């Protein structure tokens, strides 16, 4: 079996690896490090959790350990889809380059441009960035990418999900053609394949098996229940979640609770807090400083329950998570794998519970065929739903009381406007009635302050505004993914959302676009003469082949 010492890594890097406690490279490391050290392009098909970060970090430090960085011209570039992942990669560089003079800068949204500019001005060996923020720095003339010798694209499939592919293509074009590219993706969607064909030169293709979807260290349980009423489903799921958490108290040290949508992340976190649990939300609409603080306290153990969206939590390396709860069954089956893979890491035991209602059957089918097993059935603890009040929520009064969510009254205009605003990640009226958990409602989506709103044209070179613009852009991309709606389940919650179902709005929108595409008054067939140009100076010559020539 290959050992790290068999790889031609810089001795100082080898020391750091040993100090980190690693002796044997993971399969992706064993396969990717040798060609990367030779200077070849690498196409790595591997998911997070396989050790892929070190498979590019170690060769970069080794290859760039000689030479010096020039001001504003980073020697290598790592692109990551989210700020948290970028920060995690930066930590990895700190860990493995600690015995060298290797320098780095991290360019992510939500951090002031000034400090980042200073770091780049000094010259760095590696620049770790999210694509939007990188392009903003480049557009401001503060950064030259012509000195990039090695470029890494990490989590390319996630970049695709978040709409970053055009940015990635642009960044490729701004870097020298002769550079080395290390490209990592969990899957090879056609769009990803196209990019790799366009920008990688004869890459060494390394592929590690999909993450152990049914890792033996993870005990999975599917807890199915049928809500007493459709409009009670959300409240009863929250009660079921609380009961499951309480039932696991003996072994639960900490847990990540996944919701499909960020607004549910907020409500579930608030609800848990109101019931005395130590919970906090994390999703793409939250301010970066809040996200960082929340993750730090979860990592260090002062926060027990992290309620998360897929985008915010995917790929994060939090070594010791005892439990994962899927508050919602994910619509993308691979998200199930990512979610449960947050627990049972590094040989530890973990438990993953998935709450499901009959509306989830279709998604469960897709998950079970992906993981090639039926998820073992679990039971709801006795009396689990007892503390989901029997009273219809609408009857309790209070603002937005019908579902425990903002503006969820049946059909009223207030309901509609609240939801619409929420979709745009703007704040809604807060109805915080802590005495009753089902009306605990707050959507702490930050409203941009005056300074944070996108700058008018021509003013966007001002750092403060750029920070906000970039933050808003990144958040919008994360939000776009987090707001993906599921028509089947939306229908199932129609009672909760009143008339504000996205389906209705989407239908209106598509009706409009249908109308726009029609040729009004002429049906689908446009007479040929309408497409011809008219010559006003000379009489048109009839074309015998066309029959009816235009009569100008
Ligand atoms: P990654 O896939 O890069 O997010 O890495 C997942 C986890 O594996 C991180 O906690 C790494 O610190 C850890 N790791 C990386 N390389 C090794 C290794 N060779 N042996 C054991 N664990 C590793």
């Amino acid at each position: 079996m290959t050992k790290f010492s068999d790889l031609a890594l810089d001795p100082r890097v080898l020391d750091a690896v040993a100090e980190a406690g690693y002796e044997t490279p993971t399969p992706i490391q064993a396969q990717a490090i040798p060609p990367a050290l030779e200077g070849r392009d690498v196409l790595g098909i591997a998911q997070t959790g396989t050790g892929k970060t070190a498979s590019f970090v170690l060769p970069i430090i080794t290859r760039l350990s000689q030479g010096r960085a020039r001001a504003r011209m980073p020697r290598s570039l790592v692109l990551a889809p989210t700020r948290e992942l970028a920060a995690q990669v930066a930590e990895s560089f700190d860990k493995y380059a600690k015995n060298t003079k290797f320098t780095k800068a991290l360019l992510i949204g939500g951090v002031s441009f000034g400090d980042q500019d200073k770091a780049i001005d000094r010259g760095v060996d590696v620049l770790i960035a999210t694509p939007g923020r990188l392009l903003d720095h480049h557009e401001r003339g503060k950064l030259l990418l012509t000195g990039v010798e090695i470029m890494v694209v990490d989590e390319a499939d996630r970049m695709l999900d978040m709409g970053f592919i055009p940015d990635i293509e642009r960044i490729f074009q701004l870097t020298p053609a002769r550079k080395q590219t290390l490209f990592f993706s969990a899957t090879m969607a056609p769009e990803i394949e196209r990019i790799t064909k366009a920008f990688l030169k004869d890459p060494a293709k390394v592929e590690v098996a999909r993450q152990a979807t049914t890792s033996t260290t993870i005990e999975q349980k599917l807890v199915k229940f049928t809500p007493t009423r459709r409009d009670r489903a959300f409240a009863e799921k929250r009660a079921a979640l609380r009961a499951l958490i309480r039932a696991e108290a003996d072994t639960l040290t900490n847990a990540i609770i996944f919701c499909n949508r960020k607004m549910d992340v907020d409500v579930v976190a608030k609800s848990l807090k109101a019931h005395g649990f130590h919970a906090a939300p994390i999703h793409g609409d939250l301010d970066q400083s809040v996200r960082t603080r929340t993750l730090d306290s979860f990592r260090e153990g002062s926060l027990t329950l992290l309620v998360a969206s897929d985008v915010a939590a995917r790929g994060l390396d939090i070594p010791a998570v005892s439990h994962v709860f899927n508050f919602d069954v994910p619509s993308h089956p691979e998200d199930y794998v990512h979610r449960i893979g947050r627990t049972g890491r590094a040989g530890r035991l973990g438990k993953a519970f998935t709450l499901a209602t009959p509306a989830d059957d279709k998604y469960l089918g897709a998950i079970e065929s992906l993981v090639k097993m039926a998820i073992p059935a679990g039971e709801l603890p006795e009396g689990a739903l007892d503390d989901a009040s029997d009273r219809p929520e609408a009857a309790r009064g209070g603002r937005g009381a019908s579902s425990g969510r903002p503006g969820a009254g049946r059909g009223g205009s207030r309901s509609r406007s609240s939801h619409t605003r929420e979709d745009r990640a703007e704040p809604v009226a807060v109805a915080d009635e802590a005495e009753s958990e089902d009306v605990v409602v707050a959507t702490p989506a930050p409203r941009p302050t005056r300074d944070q709103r996108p700058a008018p044209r021509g003013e966007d070179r001002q750092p403060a505004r750029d920070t906000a613009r970039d933050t808003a852009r990144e958040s919008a991309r994360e939000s776009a993914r987090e707001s993906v709606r599921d028509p089947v389940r939306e229908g199932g919650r129609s009672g909760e959302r009143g008339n504000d179902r996205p389906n209705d709005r989407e239908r209106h929108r598509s009706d409009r676009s249908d109308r726009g595409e029609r040729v009004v008054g002429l049906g689908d067939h446009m007479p040929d003469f309408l497409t011809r140009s008219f010559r006003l100076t000379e009489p048109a010559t009839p074309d015998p082949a066309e029959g009816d020539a235009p009569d100008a």
Side-chain angles (χ1 to χ4, degrees):
M1 189 185 273
T2 317
K3 291 227 181 286
F4 275 111
S5 47
D6 301 330
L7 304 171
L9 291 164
D10 185 298
R12 292 166 297 176
V13 173
L14 282 176
D15 285 347
V17 170
E19 284 165 45
Y22 306 139
E23 207 176 292
T24 316
T26 63
I28 187 82
Q29 291 164 356
Q31 291 177 64
I33 292 175
L37 286 172
E38 283 168 24
R40 283 190 64 187
D41 283 2
V42 172
L43 172 56
I45 303 170
Q47 290 181 337
T48 176
T50 54
K52 70 178 163 52
T53 314
S55 74
F56 60 80
V57 170
L58 305 183
I60 291 178
I61 304 170
T62 299
R63 294 203 65 216
L64 300 183
S65 60
Q66 307 298 327
R68 265 182 63 92
R70 288 161 60 193
R72 290 190 286 147
M73 292 181 71
R75 300 170 72 204
S76 64
L77 179 62
V78 178
L79 298 171
T82 64
R83 301 171 203 169
E84 280 81 9
L85 280 170
Q88 205 165 280
V89 170
E91 279 171 25
S92 208
F93 274 101
D94 287 341
K95 180 158 85 177
Y96 299 122
K98 63 187 216 182
N99 303 322
T100 70
K101 294 207 164 83
F102 196 85
T103 53
K104 67 156 207 315
L106 177 63
L107 292 193
I108 53 175
V111 176
S112 94
F113 270 73
D115 293 344
Q116 299 185 342
D117 283 344
K118 273 190 221 143
I120 297 168
D121 282 348
R122 280 195 295 271
V124 288
D125 293 313
V126 67
L127 186 60
I128 305 140
T130 46
R133 179 48 76 108
L134 181 92
L135 285 173
D136 281 350
H137 272 272
H138 184 267
E139 281 160 22
R140 293 166 67 244
K142 297 281 184 186
L143 178 64
L144 289 169
L145 297 175
T146 46
V148 171
E149 295 166 46
I150 310 173
M151 171 163 154
V152 177
V153 179
D154 195 15
E155 304 247 342
D157 50 336
R158 189 111 296 244
M159 304 265 197
L160 176 66
D161 278 355
M162 297 174 75
F164 281 138
I165 294 298
D167 287 354
I168 299 291
E169 290 191 79
R170 173 144 169 70
I171 295 166
F172 264 115
Q173 278 150 1
L174 295 170
T175 51
R178 61 175 189 286
K179 72 186 173 296
Q180 177 185 18
T181 304
L182 311 174
F183 191 101
F184 293 87
S185 184
T187 56
M188 284 300 284
E191 185 68 355
I192 304 276
E193 192 144 4
R194 182 182 68 75
I195 302 262
T196 59
K197 288 209 171 108
F199 296 107
L200 270 65
K201 301 169 294 296
D202 183 28
K205 196 167 167 189
V206 299
E207 183 164 0
V208 295
R210 290 190 91 145
Q211 191 170 311
T213 55
T214 52
S215 163
T216 47
T217 57
I218 305 172
E219 184 186 339
Q220 301 172 61
K221 285 272 186 265
L222 176 63
V223 181
K224 276 183 141 178
F225 79 101
T226 304
T228 53
R229 272 185 13 201
R230 236 159 62 156
D231 63 346
R232 301 286 306 141
F234 190 52
E236 289 180 0
K237 265 172 104 177
R238 295 197 300 273
L241 173 69
R242 293 193 295 275
L244 285 175
I245 296 172
R246 287 189 186 115
E248 289 296 307
D250 286 348
T251 52
L252 188 148
T253 49
N254 59 357
I256 305 181
I257 296 152
F258 285 95
C259 299
N260 286 0
R261 295 176 306 180
K262 58 184 182 292
M263 59 195 218
D264 291 350
V265 167
D266 282 327
V267 178
V268 170
K270 262 255 169 186
S271 154
L272 285 168
K273 271 197 275 187
H275 280 267
F277 294 92
H278 194 196
I282 184 160
H283 58 69
D285 275 353
L286 293 171
D287 191 74
Q288 185 57 31
S289 60
V290 175
R291 284 161 67 163
T292 307
R293 233 181 9 249
T294 302
L295 271 179
D296 285 349
S297 48
F298 188 67
R299 275 207 179 93
E300 74 204 18
S302 54
L303 173 69
T304 316
L305 303 177
L306 182 69
V307 190
S309 67
D310 288 292
V311 168
R314 189 165 164 180
L316 291 180
D317 181 28
I318 302 166
V321 177
S322 74
H323 285 66
V324 164
F325 295 92
N326 287 317
F327 182 80
D328 297 305
V329 176
S331 323
H332 302 279
E334 63 277 15
D335 281 339
Y336 177 80
V337 177
H338 284 285
R339 289 178 180 189
I340 71 164
R342 301 299 95 208
T343 182
R345 285 164 88 83
R348 293 183 180 90
L349 296 178
K351 283 190 180 176
F353 287 84
T354 300
L355 273 172
T357 65
D360 296 310
D361 280 352
K362 175 173 122 195
Y363 302 95
L364 285 171
I367 290 167
E368 292 186 335
S369 69
L370 176 70
V371 301
K372 298 192 178 57
M373 63 174 271
I375 306 170
E379 292 287 320
L380 264 191
E382 191 91 355
L385 305 184
D386 289 354
D387 76 339
S389 167
D390 293 326
R391 272 192 299 155
E393 289 173 77
R396 289 184 211 173
R399 293 154 290 164
S402 78
S403 72
R405 301 185 207 208
R410 243 173 225 281
S413 61
R414 186 180 179 283
S415 152
R416 180 183 297 275
S417 68
S418 293
H419 190 172
T420 305
R421 274 186 272 137
E422 200 167 35
D423 282 348
R424 290 194 212 123
E426 287 177 14
V428 295
V430 172
D432 201 348
E433 300 182 29
E435 77 278 8
S436 161
E437 96 88 31
D438 282 324
V439 288
V440 174
V441 173
T443 305
R447 174 178 217 125
T449 63
R450 211 149 173 245
D451 283 338
Q452 285 176 326
R453 291 199 191 111
R457 278 185 164 278
E459 283 180 272
D460 60 358
R461 302 211 159 212
Q462 292 178 24
R465 289 168 197 255
D466 275 354
T467 303
R469 185 165 55 111
D470 181 49
T471 303
R473 179 155 65 178
E474 281 182 13
S475 294
R477 279 173 176 145
E478 291 186 25
S479 299
R481 163 110 171 112
E482 288 173 348
S483 299
V484 168
R485 297 186 179 287
D486 175 342
V488 173
R489 281 180 253 191
E490 284 296 329
R493 285 196 194 158
S494 58
E496 294 179 26
R497 295 184 183 281
N499 285 344
D500 193 32
R501 285 180 297 159
N503 285 351
D504 291 343
R505 290 203 310 270
E506 272 152 28
R507 201 168 54 238
H508 292 319
R509 217 179 291 134
S510 74
D511 284 347
R512 275 201 302 275
S513 67
D514 281 349
R515 272 201 301 276
E517 278 161 22
R518 276 187 213 123
V519 181
V520 177
L522 292 172
D524 290 337
H525 302 287
M526 191 187 300
D528 186 55
F529 69 86
L530 281 183
T531 64
R532 304 242 187 120
S533 59
F534 290 76
R535 296 163 69 189
L536 299 175
T537 48
E538 293 174 44
T541 316
D543 180 350
E546 291 279 343
D548 286 338
D551 187 6

